[in-house]
Amino acid sequence: MKNKNVKNNKNIKSKKKPSYERKKSLYGYGFIALWFVGMIYFFILPLIKCFRYSFYDTKPINGKMELTNFGFHNYINAFTTNTDYLQALVSVLKDTAIKTPLILIFSIFVATILNQKFRGRTFVRSVFFLPVIIATGPVIEIINGNMSSGGYAGGSEQFSSMFQTDLVSQVLEFIGVYGISDKLEMAIQAVTGQIFNLVWNSGIQILLFLSALQNISVSAKEAAQIEGATSWEFFWKVTLPYISPMILASVVYTIVDSFISTDNPVMQIVLSKASEWQHGYSAAMAWIYFAIVGIVLAIVALFVNKFVYYEVE
Amino acid sequence: MNLAKEQKLINKQLKASKKARLKRMKQDGILTPEDIKYNRKKAFGGFAFPLFRFFILFGLCFVILYPIIFMLSTAFRPSQQMSDPSVVWIPKSLTLSNIKDVWEVMDFTGSVLNTLELNIISSLLSLITCSLTGYGFARFKFKGKKFLFAIVIFMIIVPPQITTIPIFLQYTYFDLFKIPTLLTGDCINLIDSPITMYAPALFGCGIRSGLFIFIFCQFFKGLPKELEDAAYLDGCNPFRTYIQIIIPNAKSSFLTVFLFSIVWYWNDYYISSSFFTKSTTVALQLKNLNITLSQQLFDGASVSTRQIIVWLEAGCLISILPLLIMYIFLQKYFVEGIERSGLGGA
């Protein structure tokens, strides 16, 4: 039956070319073929291997990983014997939870300002994107002064200390506010102390928001103006909905960026274990971390997605 | 240029006529008190806001430029003046010896040439593959597209640290389909060869390739379809269409991605440190500068960062200088390229 069909088809096909759609989809495969091969060899395969390591005690012998002692012990050990790990995990989560909204608000604020017309805009813009170029490299570590714990404070620490030396409370006293609650003062100091990191970490987000702001249609602006909207109302009712898809993108980017940066404590533990040749253990810790990052991302994305306004096309 | 001037003139005239109209309206008494209040408020805002904006931007620019100013200030001063309390920003005397020392310690000429070669070839390769892949995802329908695109997103999220160790093993005993064994009788050790950087780039898995594929995909989606349809009607196949129609139309986005790729390859030290045993790139040299400095300048004596800070900052300066120069000349493409290209429409 099948044979017959094939034969019949062959007869027809020899006269008729494959359909346009089919041909196009084949070309589609052609375009992604190179990446597909590489993705299997350089991404999926290592990922699976890494996942396998996490269940074993590993020992690199002669280029092959010798895997012994199958089980979940690596995962259990990560929580029970290594007390640093749990602590680092909590601190990273906390840090990200504080940092993300700050970076978001800050970058929206800066992007709105940079979107206005004023003299020297090109200069200011290029200054704001400078961190994108510099901050990914080892230079930032020297700038941050954490190359070694020696008595020297790098640029960032020096800068923060400029603010932190009780400047905040002095300013408050100058204005006439005395005895403000310690907690509030601590909070203000935490923010001012973080200003350097805040500015240096939000280059990409500013870029994203700026591009979104430039996509707001002129007609929307005109309509709002005719209706007599103040710029405050305009921001909340027009700008924010328009850039909300980018808010989602930036939230995801910020969270991922903060989770995978090499100087967060969990990553450091994972990397140090890997350099001690405990690959299985480090892989297990990395996968736990990954699962948590994934869950956090999913929750946040779902939550933010509720407020995202998509223009109906 | 002329157009901008004309625009300015028109704006000026508009403003003047607006002012005149307001004045007339005031004289005629058409304006209600509310209107006057509104106008006053607006005038105040028009004056106060730019001032506020200036201070904010000035402060923030200072935050960003601070380390660079600091770098410039320290890189050219003699080391003794670091502990001189009377010197804060402007050193009493300038010297080029820090730069010279660091240049030698980092073997800068060799490192730069090596890094440039690695960078440019890897970036070009990854540009070709990522754009092809992005185009495939943007314009063709095929089975499993959504799933494959999810893998692209996944590639953006997974940090390279996770996959480096298995890839390292794959390289050390490179034996794909047993071909090397058949040819030479043994597997090949690829560590320390530049292929470790080129191969992933060629196959679309280099540094941040996932992001590049995403950017290209978004950008190609924004191009009008009519361009290609016309080419198809003339009997062009999709690959030729891509080369002859798409690439010329997507120049700015290609340039943007290329620049970002250069920057990230230049700055990368994690991946290159796992695949190269010698520090032959600028980023690796800079990463190890602390150690090499104390070895070569202080005979291995342990030194605090404070003592070698001038050399560290000088090293920083010469390492980012090529990037900075590139940025100054091509800043338009960095800043505006990404707005016009992919990420803008996402």
Side-chain angles (χ1 to χ4, degrees), chain A:
Chain A
M1 188 65 196
K2 223 181 176 182
N3 257 336
K4 242 185 188 174
N5 252 340
V6 169
K7 257 188 189 170
N8 274 343
N9 269 342
K10 244 189 184 171
N11 274 335
I12 299 165
K13 258 192 185 165
S14 58
K15 280 171 198 165
K16 216 173 158 188
K17 282 180 183 172
S19 78
Y20 176 70
E21 284 295 318
R22 238 185 84 85
K23 222 172 146 187
K24 249 194 120 178
S25 90
L26 277 179
Y27 270 112
Y29 285 122
F31 271 105
I32 66 161
L34 213 54
W35 168 78
F36 186 77
V37 174
M39 180 267 289
I40 300 282
Y41 188 73
F42 291 109
F43 185 68
I44 299 292
L45 220 61
L47 215 58
I48 292 171
K49 273 187 188 166
C50 182
F51 190 58
R52 245 188 82 209
Y53 293 165
S54 70
F55 293 105
Y56 292 94
D57 283 338
T58 52
K59 216 180 202 178
I61 290 174
N62 230 354
K64 294 273 182 293
M65 278 286 186
E66 200 189 62
L67 305 174
T68 46
N69 198 4
F70 176 83
F72 285 91
H73 54 277
N74 280 332
Y75 287 90
I76 297 162
N77 280 352
F79 284 111
T80 50
T81 48
N82 194 338
T83 45
D84 293 346
Y85 183 70
L86 202 62
Q87 258 178 5
L89 214 57
V90 172
S91 88
V92 167
L93 283 174
K94 229 187 202 167
D95 199 42
T96 311
I98 298 169
K99 225 163 71 180
T100 311
L102 276 180
I103 285 183
L104 270 190
I105 294 168
F106 175 75
S107 48
I108 291 177
F109 175 72
V110 170
T112 3
I113 289 184
L114 288 185
N115 196 33
Q116 291 161 348
K117 274 187 184 155
F118 56 89
R119 234 176 238 191
R121 184 171 72 160
T122 2
F123 171 75
V124 177
R125 275 191 187 181
S126 45
V127 169
F128 269 90
F129 303 133
L130 209 57
V132 179
I133 289 169
I134 297 174
T136 49
V139 173
I140 189 74
E141 289 187 16
I142 296 178
I143 289 174
N144 268 331
N146 47 15
M147 279 287 277
S148 89
S149 44
Y152 170 74
S156 131
E157 277 170 41
Q158 262 191 8
F159 191 85
S160 299
S161 63
M162 252 161 62
F163 272 100
Q164 268 175 331
T165 43
D166 234 21
L167 191 74
V168 179
S169 58
Q170 272 176 19
V171 168
L172 285 176
E173 274 172 29
F174 179 73
I175 303 171
V177 186
Y178 289 96
I180 197 165
S181 77
D182 282 345
K183 268 198 180 161
L184 188 64
E185 204 169 283
M186 289 257 282
I188 295 172
Q189 275 196 3
V191 173
T192 49
Q194 286 292 313
I195 268 194
F196 186 87
N197 289 328
L198 198 65
V199 178
W200 273 77
N201 281 324
S202 39
I204 292 267
Q205 286 88 336
I206 294 172
L207 212 61
L208 288 175
F209 283 126
L210 199 55
S211 64
L213 283 173
Q214 283 174 344
N215 278 351
I216 295 178
S217 62
V218 185
S219 57
K221 263 179 213 171
E222 277 170 356
Q225 251 172 15
I226 290 168
E227 299 283 342
T230 59
S231 34
W232 181 247
E233 285 166 334
F234 182 77
F235 177 78
W236 287 103
K237 300 205 168 134
V238 181
T239 312
L240 218 52
Y242 261 109
I243 63 171
S244 58
M246 272 309 170
I247 293 182
L248 181 63
S250 322
V251 167
V252 172
Y253 181 85
T254 315
I255 292 177
V256 169
D257 199 44
S258 124
F259 272 138
I260 69 175
S261 82
T262 34
D263 45 64
N264 88 41
V266 176
M267 265 309 186
Q268 271 172 0
I269 293 180
V270 170
L271 288 180
S272 75
K273 283 278 175 287
S275 59
E276 286 165 21
W277 299 101
Q278 294 180 303
H279 294 306
Y281 196 24
S282 119
M285 290 206 268
W287 279 101
I288 296 170
Y289 184 52
F290 238 49
I292 292 171
V293 173
I295 292 166
V296 169
L297 268 182
I299 293 171
V300 171
L302 272 180
F303 179 73
V304 176
N305 208 16
K306 268 191 183 168
F307 299 97
V308 172
Y309 162 81
Y310 290 107
E311 214 173 343
V312 186
E313 284 173 18

Side-chain angles (χ1 to χ4, degrees), chain A residues 20-36 39, chain B residues 130-152 213 217 221 225 232 238-239:
Chain A
Y20 176 70
E21 284 295 318
R22 238 185 84 85
K23 222 172 146 187
K24 249 194 120 178
S25 90
L26 277 179
Y27 270 112
Y29 285 122
F31 271 105
I32 66 161
L34 213 54
W35 168 78
F36 186 77
M39 180 267 289
Chain B
C130 291
S131 65
L132 276 173
T133 314
Y135 186 66
F137 277 119
R139 277 297 150 84
F140 296 96
K141 277 182 202 157
F142 45 85
K143 255 187 202 164
K145 181 171 147 180
K146 270 194 179 159
F147 175 71
L148 288 174
F149 200 68
I151 294 181
V152 173
I213 292 174
C217 180
K221 268 185 190 163
K225 256 190 178 155
Y232 289 153
F239 283 109

Side-chain angles (χ1 to χ4, degrees), chain B residues 64-84:
Chain B
I64 294 171
L65 291 177
Y66 182 88
I68 292 164
I69 299 169
F70 186 74
M71 214 181 274
L72 283 172
S73 154
T74 41
F76 297 105
R77 78 170 78 165
S79 183
Q80 306 87 274
Q81 286 187 29
M82 270 321 283
S83 39
D84 186 345

